[in-house]
Amino acid sequence: MLKTLACGAVTFAGLYIGFKKVLKLTFTRWSDADVLIVSERLIDAIHASLATTAGVITVTSCKDVMRDSHWVLTSFMVFGYPYSAIDLYASYMSHFHSHRLRGNSMYNSHSLMTLKGFISSYWLTVLHHLAVLGILLPIGVFYRRGLGDFFIGCLFITELSVAFVAISKIIVQVGLANTRLHKINSILLLVSFIICRILIFPYMYWKYGRDFDIPLHKVPSHLPWHCNVGNLAILMPQVYWFYLQLKKAQRVFRHKKLN
């Protein structure tokens, strides 16, 4: 496990550092903020792609939704664990250099004030990463006793849309916001979001009901209340975020028509 953890740390940290160096040499007119933002988005896209792959392998391999397991799931949870810490650091660096580029005097050097500014601006991102680091992954690796790989695999599949979000921001960053590529990526983002972040929840209920011969509409009553509450707590923000992504996509297509 420690080797897998170390491998993940070296991989994601190495990718981040490598992307920064390559982008700095390739795009000589880019600011430090541009380089850091694109480097951050690239590792986001890579992690999301790997997580989705691990999720698909697990979900398609588990016939019994409660007891079947797959080694790739636990391995990736350990391998991907350092990503949350590295991405949190990368997000802070992007935030710092973006504000520095705008001439904000507070961001002339790193300080407790710049850290507070980052946390106040991206508190939801910070909370998410800290929850993954301190709660979700430790529980997934040590306390679930090999149960529920199917459901965790489904949650990993939700990461697919993150890849398209990252690609969208990279497209804008490199000056291709008004191209067909951005339009196609926006469509893929919406499709992946609604399938992998919203419809994945009724799919989990349907699969559970099929395995235990329970009609879909009766599945919630057969589950512990905290499972339903937990799923609802995860689902509701997805619906809100889908609404925000839909508004962004509308701006992309509206801008395209005006041109």
Side-chain angles (χ1 to χ4, degrees), residues 11-103:
T11 298
F12 289 110
L15 285 172
Y16 181 62
I17 295 170
F19 285 140
K20 286 196 300 181
K21 290 184 177 180
V22 171
L23 291 171
K24 191 75 172 176
L25 293 173
T26 304
F27 300 95
T28 55
R29 294 185 180 181
W30 278 13
S31 66
D32 289 339
D34 294 331
V35 170
L36 290 169
I37 289 171
V38 174
S39 299
E40 177 195 349
R41 298 309 175 190
L42 285 170
I43 62 169
D44 287 345
I46 290 173
H47 175 267
S49 301
L50 293 174
T52 302
T53 301
V56 170
I57 292 172
T58 303
V59 167
T60 55
S61 300
C62 291
K63 305 305 178 184
D64 185 324
V65 297
M66 293 304 299
R67 295 179 177 81
D68 283 357
S69 61
H70 199 287
W71 65 268
V72 75
L73 185 73
T74 302
S75 296
F76 182 77
M77 280 195 289
V78 177
F79 176 82
Y81 184 78
Y83 160 79
S84 292
I86 293 166
D87 188 57
L88 198 56
Y89 167 78
S91 298
Y92 166 74
M93 292 300 293
S94 297
H95 168 82
F96 177 87
H97 283 277
S98 294
H99 281 269
R100 189 175 187 178
L101 183 64
R102 296 170 193 162

Side-chain angles (χ1 to χ4, degrees), residues 58-222:
T58 303
V59 167
T60 55
S61 300
C62 291
K63 305 305 178 184
D64 185 324
V65 297
M66 293 304 299
R67 295 179 177 81
D68 283 357
S69 61
H70 199 287
W71 65 268
V72 75
L73 185 73
T74 302
S75 296
F76 182 77
M77 280 195 289
V78 177
F79 176 82
Y81 184 78
Y83 160 79
S84 292
I86 293 166
D87 188 57
L88 198 56
Y89 167 78
S91 298
Y92 166 74
M93 292 300 293
S94 297
H95 168 82
F96 177 87
H97 283 277
S98 294
H99 281 269
R100 189 175 187 178
L101 183 64
R102 296 170 193 162
N104 191 328
S105 58
M106 187 178 76
Y107 289 84
N108 289 331
S109 61
H110 298 283
S111 66
L112 185 60
M113 291 299 295
T114 61
L115 182 60
K116 287 182 178 179
F118 167 69
I119 294 174
S120 63
S121 298
Y122 298 96
W123 65 270
L124 190 58
T125 299
V126 173
L127 183 64
H128 168 74
H129 283 300
L130 292 179
V132 170
L133 288 168
I135 302 174
L136 299 181
L137 285 180
I139 289 176
V141 173
F142 297 109
Y143 295 108
R144 60 188 180 87
R145 296 170 296 172
L147 298 174
D149 277 27
F150 171 83
F151 298 106
I152 296 178
C154 286
L155 294 179
F156 274 17
I157 292 175
T158 64
E159 290 290 304
L160 178 61
S161 62
V162 175
F164 293 110
V165 171
I167 293 170
S168 177
K169 293 183 178 180
I170 293 171
I171 289 172
V172 172
Q173 198 71 28
V174 299
L176 298 176
N178 299 324
T179 64
R180 182 176 296 178
L181 177 63
H182 194 200
K183 185 176 180 181
I184 293 172
N185 186 75
S186 297
I187 295 173
L188 293 174
L189 169 57
L190 292 176
V191 172
S192 65
F193 203 105
I194 196 168
I195 293 175
C196 299
R197 284 188 173 249
I198 296 178
L199 296 181
I200 194 74
F201 288 93
Y203 169 72
M204 287 192 286
Y205 277 73
W206 171 81
K207 189 67 166 61
Y208 179 91
R210 195 186 73 165
D211 282 14
F212 291 93
D213 197 25
I214 303 170
L216 177 60
H217 67 280
K218 292 185 178 181
V219 170
S221 63
H222 283 75

